[in-house]
Amino acid sequence: TVVLLLWLLAAVAADVVIEGLPHCRELLLLLYSGGGPRFQSRRQRVLDSLDKHMYDYLPEDVAAAHPNLILMLRTLVQTPDGLIWVGTDDGVYRYDGTQLVSINALRRQGDALPTVPCNHLLPLPNGQLWLGTDAGLYCFGTEGQLRALPLPVPTHSSRGIEALALTPDGRRIWVGQDHVGFQMYTLDGQPAGQLLPLPQTASHILPMADGSLWAVSALEALQLSADGRVLGRWPQSARVGMYPV
């Protein structure tokens, strides 16, 4: 009951955050890739009722190449300037209440972001936006610079970044590399401290003020000390999975 209540409160908060943006509810419904038959039916009704198809919000080159494209949402965040950034199966887009614009169309320096899934987006206090993708870790700067950041373990076969989280003091970022573990980073994008190994994929991490770290994977929830010791372990139920609120 408590979990359900918290989930409902989170849903209401999300509605409040996006209330002022035209078509935003429809956009999120179209982007979201999950849901059962009732959700998919509602999704289709929204698609049928919109005065513009989703690809009309996309850059012309993307729309022309993919006339039936419906982006699949993986993550979204709102930056302090009110813009919504969307991580999809095909990269990252910015939504300003009117249209979606690819991050590659917004960049002024650096190589283009590969067309790969973006699993996590993290806005920083200094205005940067960090991107955790299947192709690695990236930083989008305030002046439009897009740059690749070093991976926790660059030689590992998996380059996927599954989780990003800012420490409570706002001075460090925890980065979770798929099937590798967690590495703390400075705000300028450099690894700091030791790697905390975790052979499984952790999709969510929560840093605590005491330096410990909570992690949720498909198998279990973990509490790790600052030096990587396991302080607690709670296996996932076969019937009910655990997800952060």
Side-chain angles (χ1 to χ4, degrees):
T1 301
V2 174
V3 173
L4 178 59
L5 178 60
L6 290 173
W7 182 87
L8 289 173
L9 289 174
V12 171
D15 281 347
V16 171
V17 168
I18 66 176
E19 184 175 356
L21 296 178
H23 299 305
C24 197
R25 294 172 189 272
E26 292 87 348
L27 171 69
L28 298 183
L29 189 61
L30 288 170
L31 286 171
Y32 184 64
S33 59
R38 291 181 61 187
F39 183 93
Q40 295 300 331
S41 175
R42 182 184 173 202
R43 179 177 183 271
Q44 187 59 50
R45 289 199 302 272
V46 171
L47 179 59
D48 293 340
S49 66
L50 277 177
D51 58 348
K52 282 190 174 184
H53 195 278
M54 271 298 300
Y55 63 78
D56 289 330
Y57 293 103
L58 300 175
E60 292 183 1
D61 57 336
V62 178
H66 306 280
N68 298 312
L69 177 63
I70 296 179
L71 300 174
M72 293 302 173
L73 175 70
R74 283 182 174 245
T75 183
L76 63 87
V77 295
Q78 187 173 34
T79 47
D81 55 10
L83 298 172
I84 287 182
W85 293 84
V86 184
T88 76
D89 280 355
D90 299 295
V92 177
Y93 296 82
R94 189 191 69 185
Y95 183 64
D96 62 4
T98 303
Q99 62 179 345
L100 283 168
V101 179
S102 167
I103 194 171
N104 285 330
L106 298 169
R107 68 184 172 89
R108 298 175 182 174
Q109 299 177 30
D111 295 332
L113 184 71
T115 306
V116 295
C118 177
N119 305 308
H120 204 99
L121 295 168
L122 180 66
L124 298 186
N126 59 11
Q128 294 179 353
L129 181 68
W130 283 34
L131 294 61
T133 78
D134 279 4
L137 180 63
Y138 293 84
C139 173
F140 187 66
T142 55
E143 301 299 323
Q145 317 96 318
L146 182 62
R147 60 190 178 103
L149 300 178
L151 289 172
V153 180
T155 57
H156 196 273
S157 59
S158 173
R159 299 184 58 83
I161 300 298
E162 298 292 337
L164 297 171
L166 191 65
T167 57
D169 62 8
R171 299 174 60 186
R172 293 286 189 273
I173 302 102
W174 279 104
V175 175
Q177 185 176 351
D178 185 26
H179 290 92
V180 172
F182 307 113
Q183 176 73 60
M184 189 179 288
Y185 279 66
T186 61
L187 294 181
D188 60 0
Q190 296 303 311
Q194 64 176 332
L195 176 74
L196 305 186
L198 186 69
Q200 55 195 271
T201 298
S203 57
H204 297 84
I205 52 178
L206 178 63
M208 306 301 291
D210 62 1
S212 64
L213 188 69
W214 287 79
V216 177
S217 74
L219 301 177
E220 59 187 352
L222 294 167
Q223 184 184 15
L224 304 173
S225 68
D227 58 2
R229 291 179 294 109
V230 177
L231 302 177
R233 174 176 272 125
W234 297 267
Q236 294 269 26
S237 166
R239 297 176 57 188
V240 181
M242 290 183 288
Y243 301 92
V245 177

